[in-house]
């Protein structure tokens, strides 16, 4: 593609061209890359300033790998190794270029964006299932998995919302392979960093908004604002020629409802337990093995039975039901779809090696989700409730003592451990979490333990567990690695739990 054509797609025209030769006009661009290591001959390198490094430091590397031009913010030197296009907002430019390079795939299929603090991945997967049951071809991009045309693979990138370049590339593949509906998890980071710009969302869904990622967004207002962006992106005049009416799917029970509503310029479909909600649940029956409820939606009432556990999953189901309904899925298909859902990997997943206590692996890693999960497990547990958890390094530090407090209030015994310490001091993180528990009178050794090594922490919790107790392993869920220092070490809570349970049973029987 000609560079000239690509540049014509920029929402904001370039500020300057740094090139003495004036060769820009007719350059052919073979590929785009924002990581210099991914540059291939004939490529355009987009220099994005990140939190750790600045793409502008890699211009020479990009040139050496064959980049024919680069684009980025004001260059730091006048001695540039390749022609350089200066832009005002490089992230917006990256999204614009990606959309143009891949031929604006989002305009050729229905796109559904799901945002919120918790429940995004679950809700995305539910929506995708319901669409497939209704005979549509859904594609999926979430924290845990990607899917297109029946093929599914794990998301090993550790990014919930990919960069615009990868999103547009995947959307292109989806369109080319016949996907009709793309369901995209849109985190607040992803929205703020323009990763989903150009996704031309037809449907925006919000799960809930609570405390999370405050180090990145600085204030809760800014965080809410980031979530609202998804809804600002819904355009009532957008017509992809697919016969789809843009709608916003809002949670009537959550604070996000009032936050997001003013940003919606499209019809709103509300879901929740609230009587005012157009899609709502009544007669909810929860137990450790699944959930039943009666769903009321415009023009239909259905009995829902699903293996998903916990009240918050009723909310997630309602969000998916509302979305499916908004997209014309029949009520009977919705009920059938939810009945077939086996659960989402690492989300309230039960690990059974024949031990006399219950072990649950869940991805809860925010104060709100930890509290909710413990609240769910409490009435389902006749013995004691134990939890193993931590808090990630180089991420929201404010939540650490809050999580310590929640574990102290909601469990009977807990072990604080590693959860991706990254380059932070592990013991320091554990101490910050512990301080929250100590602030409400709990003491280490009596009420809780701090064991940085996660395997040891899990083994210790199992050793403390008695018959009828529940041990919750929170925070890692489906994740396949743990990041210590700069190293990504293979990890799976479910595998480690199974190994430790087998070890325990051998020890007890010998
Ligand atoms: N609607 C909800 N409200 C509160 N907590 C929820 C809700 N849905 C799920 N959770 C909890 O949050 C955890 C993560 O769920 P899920 O992966 O669906 O959320 P997510 O929003 O995609 O998370 P992330 O931002 O980490 O990608 C679950 O394991 C569960 O503990
Ligand atoms: Mg997710």
């Amino acid at each position: 593609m000609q560079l000239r054509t690509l540049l014509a797609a920029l929402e904001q025209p370039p500020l300057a061209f740094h090139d003495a030769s004036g060769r820009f006009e007719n350059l052919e661009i073979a590929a785009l890359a924002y990581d210099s290591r991914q540059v291939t001959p004939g490529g355009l390198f987009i220099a994005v300033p990140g939190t750790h490094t600045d793409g502008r430091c890699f211009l020479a590397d990009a040139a050496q790998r064959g980049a024919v031009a680069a684009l980025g913010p004001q260059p730091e030197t006048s001695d540039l190794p390749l022609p350089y296009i200066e832009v005002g907002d490089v992230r917006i430019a990256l999204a614009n270029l990606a959309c143009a390079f891949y031929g604006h795939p989002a305009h050729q299929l229905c796109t559904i964006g799901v945002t919120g603090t918790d429940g995004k991945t679950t809700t995305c997967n539910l929506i995708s299932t319901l669409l497939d049951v209704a005979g549509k071809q859904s594609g999926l991009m979430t924290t845990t998995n990607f899917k297109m045309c029946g093929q599914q693979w794990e998301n090993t990138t550790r990014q919930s919302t990919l960069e615009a370049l990868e999103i547009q590339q995947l959307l292109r593949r989806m369109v080319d392979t016949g996907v009709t509906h793309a369901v995209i998890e849109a985190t607040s980071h992803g929205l703020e960093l323009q990763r989903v710009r150009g996704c031309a969302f037809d449907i925006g869904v919000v799960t809930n908004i609570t405390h999370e990622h405050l180090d990145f967004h600085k204030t809760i207002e800014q965080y809410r604002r980031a979530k609202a962006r998804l809804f600002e992106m819904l355009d009532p005049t957008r017509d992809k020629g697919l016969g789809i009416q843009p709608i916003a799917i809002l949670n009537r029970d959550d604070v996000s409802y009032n936050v997001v509503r003013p940003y919606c310029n499209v019809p709103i479909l509300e879901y929740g337990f609230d009587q005012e909600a157009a899609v709502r649940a009544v007669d909810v029956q929860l137990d450790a093995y699944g959930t039943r409820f009666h769903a009321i939606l415009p023009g239909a009432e259905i009995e829902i039975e699903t293996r998903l556990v916990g009240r918050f999953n009723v909310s997630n189901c309602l969000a998916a039901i509302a979305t499916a309904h908004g997209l014309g899925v029949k009520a009977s298909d919705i009920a059938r779809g939810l009945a077939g859902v086996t659960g989402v990997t690492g989300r309230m997943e039960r690990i059974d090696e024949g031990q006399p206590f219950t072990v649950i692996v869940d991805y809860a890693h925010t104060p709100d989700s930890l509290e909710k999960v413990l609240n769910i497990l409490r009435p389902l547990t006749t013995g004691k409730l134990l939890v193993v958890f931590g808090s990630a390094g180089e991420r929201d530090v404010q939540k650490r003592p809050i999580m310590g407090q929640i574990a102290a209030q909601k469990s009977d015994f807990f072990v604080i451990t590693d959860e991706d310490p990254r380059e932070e001091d592990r013991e320091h993180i554990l101490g910050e979490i512990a301080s929250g528990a100590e602030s409400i009178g709990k003491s280490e050794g009596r009420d809780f333990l701090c064991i940085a090594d996660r395997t040891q922490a899990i083994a210790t919790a199992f050793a403390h567990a008695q018959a009828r107790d529940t041990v919750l392993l929170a925070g890692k869920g489906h994740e396949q690695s743990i990041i210590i220092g700069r190293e990504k070490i293979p990890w799976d809570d479910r595998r480690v739990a199974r190994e430790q349970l087998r070890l325990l049973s051998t020890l007890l029987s010998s």
Side-chain angles (χ1 to χ4, degrees):
M1 184 175 279
Q2 285 222 310
L3 180 60
R4 192 190 339 201
T5 316
L6 278 173
L7 296 184
L10 294 178
E11 285 171 68
Q12 301 166 355
L15 298 177
F17 291 89
H18 300 269
D19 176 34
S21 71
R23 282 178 293 131
F24 277 103
E25 283 292 285
N26 299 319
L27 279 179
E28 269 297 318
I29 300 300
L32 304 179
Y34 58 84
D35 178 336
S36 65
R37 291 164 298 185
Q38 305 292 327
V39 168
T40 48
L44 171 67
F45 174 58
I46 297 127
V48 183
T51 37
H52 287 294
T53 52
D54 189 323
R56 285 172 294 186
C57 304
F58 300 97
L59 294 177
D61 186 41
Q64 205 173 22
R65 290 174 197 263
V68 289
L71 177 146
Q74 191 175 35
E76 286 163 321
T77 152
S78 57
D79 181 23
L80 293 161
L82 75 179
Y84 189 95
I85 304 143
E86 182 183 333
V87 294
D89 189 322
V90 67
R91 291 202 151 272
I92 294 181
L94 174 61
N96 296 159
L97 294 171
C99 291
F101 190 78
Y102 291 106
H104 301 282
H107 290 268
Q108 296 164 42
L109 79 180
C110 169
T111 46
I112 300 148
V114 179
T115 196
T117 308
D118 306 293
K120 298 180 293 295
T121 298
T122 308
T123 303
C124 284
N125 275 277
L126 293 175
I127 294 171
S128 163
T129 303
L130 296 187
L131 292 171
D132 288 345
V133 166
K136 309 197 191 293
Q137 284 285 354
S138 75
L140 195 55
M141 300 182 206
T142 80
T143 317
T144 56
N145 54 340
F146 298 113
K147 182 169 130 184
M148 65 174 78
C149 284
Q151 276 209 323
Q152 238 191 105
W153 67 101
E154 240 174 69
N155 178 354
T156 53
T157 66
R158 296 293 294 258
Q159 256 184 356
S160 289
T161 305
L162 302 175
E163 285 294 347
L165 187 59
E166 282 87 23
I167 292 183
Q168 297 302 324
Q169 191 177 26
L170 273 172
L171 285 174
R172 168 48 55 204
R173 279 176 59 196
M174 286 186 186
V175 170
D176 291 348
T177 53
V179 168
T180 57
H181 295 70
V183 190
I184 302 168
E185 177 164 348
T187 59
S188 47
H189 275 70
L191 287 158
E192 195 80 337
L193 298 176
Q194 312 291 354
R195 291 178 183 167
V196 293
R197 203 178 186 94
C199 283
F201 289 116
D202 298 288
I203 314 274
V205 185
V206 65
T207 55
N208 58 12
I209 299 185
T210 55
H211 184 283
E212 187 207 33
H213 299 328
L214 282 193
D215 54 339
F216 178 80
H217 294 283
K218 304 295 182 260
T219 65
I220 192 93
E221 279 68 38
Q222 239 178 305
Y223 176 65
R224 289 175 177 170
R225 185 76 189 72
K227 300 284 189 200
R229 264 176 210 274
L230 175 67
F231 296 88
E232 284 178 316
M233 290 164 78
L234 300 175
D235 177 357
T237 62
R238 178 172 295 133
D239 183 9
K240 297 182 181 174
L242 302 169
I244 289 161
Q245 265 292 321
I247 20 173
I249 312 280
L250 305 189
N251 183 351
R252 196 74 167 76
D253 305 328
D254 188 66
V255 290
S256 59
Y257 179 74
N258 289 323
V259 174
V260 164
R261 204 163 56 133
Y263 297 96
C264 295
N265 299 310
V266 298
I268 294 171
L269 187 56
E270 300 167 1
Y271 69 90
F273 297 99
D274 193 296
Q275 286 197 355
E276 300 284 316
V279 175
R280 66 182 200 274
V282 291
D283 297 337
V284 179
Q285 294 168 43
L286 306 164
D287 70 34
Y289 298 92
T291 305
R292 286 160 181 244
F293 63 94
H294 187 74
I296 301 172
L297 45 158
E301 298 201 6
I302 38 177
E303 287 307 318
I304 302 291
E305 200 172 340
T306 156
R307 270 183 267 180
L308 295 177
V309 182
R311 194 172 165 87
F312 60 63
N313 272 320
V314 177
S315 296
N316 296 337
C317 285
L318 289 173
I321 294 172
T323 308
H325 173 77
L327 288 168
V329 176
K330 286 195 305 225
S332 55
D333 284 340
I334 293 178
R336 193 154 58 89
L338 289 175
V341 169
T342 49
V344 181
T345 320
R347 307 290 182 275
M348 296 299 264
E349 190 174 335
R350 186 181 290 267
I351 307 293
D352 194 354
E353 289 289 324
Q355 77 279 3
F357 49 89
T358 302
V359 174
I360 302 278
V361 169
D362 188 82
Y363 193 40
H365 58 275
T366 63
D368 186 56
S369 55
L370 184 65
E371 184 169 11
K372 282 190 174 160
V373 172
L374 291 170
N375 280 341
I376 287 168
L377 294 176
R378 174 61 77 194
L380 306 178
T381 306
T382 46
K384 288 197 163 69
L385 181 53
L386 292 80
V387 53
V388 178
F389 73 104
S391 198
E394 297 172 22
R395 297 288 183 274
D396 189 356
V397 297
Q398 294 173 34
K399 75 175 180 188
R400 293 175 188 168
I402 307 174
M403 298 200 46
Q405 261 182 27
I406 287 169
Q409 285 160 345
K410 302 282 173 179
S411 76
D412 301 302
F413 187 79
F414 54 101
V415 185
I416 305 173
T417 187
D418 274 353
E419 189 214 297
D420 296 333
R422 297 193 172 79
E423 291 186 79
E424 262 196 72
D425 180 50
R426 305 157 79 180
E427 302 293 341
H428 178 73
I429 300 176
L430 270 51
E432 287 193 321
I433 301 170
S435 73
E438 284 157 353
S439 73
I440 53 168
K442 300 287 174 180
S443 69
E444 189 174 346
R446 186 190 63 197
D447 307 302
F448 68 92
L449 297 171
C450 289
I451 305 175
D453 181 272
R454 200 166 168 103
T455 306
Q456 275 312 311
I458 291 173
T460 307
F462 289 169
H464 272 74
Q466 309 275 318
R468 300 193 317 280
D469 288 356
T470 297
V471 183
L472 167 68
L473 310 180
K476 300 236 29 110
H478 66 287
E479 285 182 353
Q480 293 296 301
S481 60
I482 186 161
I483 307 172
I484 299 175
R486 283 176 173 233
E487 218 186 328
K488 215 168 148 183
I489 300 161
W491 181 267
D492 183 339
D493 258 8
R494 297 163 298 161
R495 174 181 54 77
V496 175
R498 286 198 188 92
E499 285 167 5
Q500 292 305 318
L501 288 171
R502 280 185 225 132
L503 205 63
L504 186 68
S505 94
T506 338
L507 284 176
L508 292 180
S509 61
S510 63

